[in-house]
């Protein structure tokens, strides 16, 4: 599986957002991760489609991966598609018909992805494995950046990888140079890192080092 590293814009300097989008693109990362929070599904409010549109404007060739941490993502799919989302990720715990919404996302010409929270068992995503492109295992409780990686999520990553050996498997939450290795050894191949990457004085060097270390994992 191809290794992919995604800086999370949630950890950027919101006073210099366009510059930080360009900084993430210049780092050699694979895609930009945009965390959308509705203050209901998670206890925080982040940003909406306008920030996705900003990322498209300043870095049109940098893939925009939009993670909807929302109770009703179905009400906003077209808005985020129109803003420039190229992957849209919804939660298995959301108050929607997950089968239907994954199909809607694909029908809009956007890649679909499915996320699950730390307390949700791996089995919750098994019915959808043939309907989505990626699975994201949250390795913190979603809502705020800078939290510590929850190692108890590692067996869940391994369980999903065993069930779906060909699917892209992502981790998000407390990811750094050390925890990324643990997640890779469990079966992940995509790594969202926010605070860790944006706090680096040289993000390009940090991305290169993470990619090098991950490539050594079996």
């Amino acid at each position: 599986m191809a290794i992919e590293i995604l800086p999370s814009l949630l950890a950027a300097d919101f006073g210099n957002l366009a510059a930080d989008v360009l900084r993430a693109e210049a780092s050699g990362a694979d895609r930009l991760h945009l965390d959308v929070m509705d203050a209901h599904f998670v206890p925080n409010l982040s940003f909406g489609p306008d920030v996705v549109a900003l990322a498209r404007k300043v870095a049109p060739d940098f893939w925009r991966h939009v993670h909807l941490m929302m109770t009703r993502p179905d009400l906003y799919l077209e808005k985020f598609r129109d803003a420039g989302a190229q992957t849209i990720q919804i939660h298995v715990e959301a108050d929607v018909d997950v089968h239907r919404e994954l199909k809607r996302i694909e029908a809009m010409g956007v890649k679909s992805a499915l996320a699950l929270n730390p307390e949700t068992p791996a089995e919750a995503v098994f019915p959808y494995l043939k309907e989505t492109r990626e699975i994201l295992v949250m390795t913190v409780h979603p809502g705020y950046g800078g939290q510590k990686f929850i190692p108890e999520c590692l067996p869940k990553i391994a369980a999903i990888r065993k069930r779906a050996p060909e699917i892209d498997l992502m981790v998000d939450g407390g990811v750094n140079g050390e925890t990324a290795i643990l997640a890779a050894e469990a079966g992940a191949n995509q790594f969202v890192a926010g605070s860790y990457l944006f706090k680096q004085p040289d993000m390009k060097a940090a991305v290169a080092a993470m990619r090098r270390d991950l490539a050594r994992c079996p």
Side-chain angles (χ1 to χ4, degrees):
M1 303 293 292
I3 294 169
E4 293 189 355
I5 298 171
L6 297 84
S8 172
L9 199 62
L10 189 65
D13 177 357
F14 275 54
N16 296 281
L17 206 52
D20 266 1
V21 170
L22 291 172
R23 180 180 172 221
E25 182 183 37
S27 74
D30 299 279
R31 292 191 271 169
L32 182 66
H33 191 78
L34 298 108
D35 286 307
V36 177
M37 305 177 187
D38 66 355
H40 185 268
F41 185 77
V42 296
N44 195 8
L45 185 66
S46 60
F47 48 75
D50 286 349
V51 171
V52 180
L54 170 70
R56 178 178 61 183
K57 179 179 179 179
V58 302
D61 297 327
F62 196 23
W63 190 276
R64 294 167 296 279
H65 186 283
V66 177
H67 178 193
L68 299 183
M69 288 177 268
M70 306 176 75
T71 301
R72 292 292 306 275
D74 56 312
L75 302 178
Y76 298 90
L77 295 179
E78 286 83 5
K79 292 182 184 296
F80 281 99
R81 185 273 313 275
D82 294 345
Q86 293 167 288
T87 298
I88 293 180
Q89 194 169 61
I90 63 173
H91 271 260
V92 71
E93 305 92 354
D95 189 14
V96 298
D97 181 329
V98 175
H99 289 289
R100 182 183 66 201
E101 300 312 321
L102 291 174
K103 291 176 182 177
R104 270 185 68 202
I105 293 168
E106 292 285 336
M108 292 191 307
V110 178
K111 290 185 176 181
S112 67
L114 190 61
L116 69 164
N117 288 333
E119 63 274 12
T120 302
E123 291 76 12
V125 301
F126 288 174
Y128 311 105
L129 292 176
K130 294 183 179 180
E131 301 176 25
T132 189
R133 312 287 190 97
E134 303 168 357
I135 298 292
L136 166 62
V137 176
M138 291 299 301
T139 45
V140 299
H141 293 99
Y144 294 94
Q147 299 183 65
K148 290 185 178 180
F149 184 90
I150 301 173
E152 289 79 8
C153 294
L154 293 170
K156 180 161 53 177
I157 297 168
I160 296 171
R161 174 57 70 209
K162 183 177 180 180
R163 183 69 173 256
E166 302 301 324
I167 201 166
D168 283 317
L169 186 51
M170 182 178 291
V171 290
D172 180 5
V175 173
N176 57 38
E178 297 176 358
T179 58
I181 297 298
L182 297 176
E185 291 173 345
N189 68 293
Q190 297 174 318
F191 307 87
V192 177
S195 300
Y196 174 71
L197 289 179
F198 276 98
K199 288 181 178 179
Q200 298 290 334
D202 187 340
M203 189 189 295
K204 185 174 183 178
V207 168
M210 182 180 285
R211 195 183 304 280
R212 182 184 64 245
D213 292 343
L214 289 168
R216 296 171 179 163
C217 293

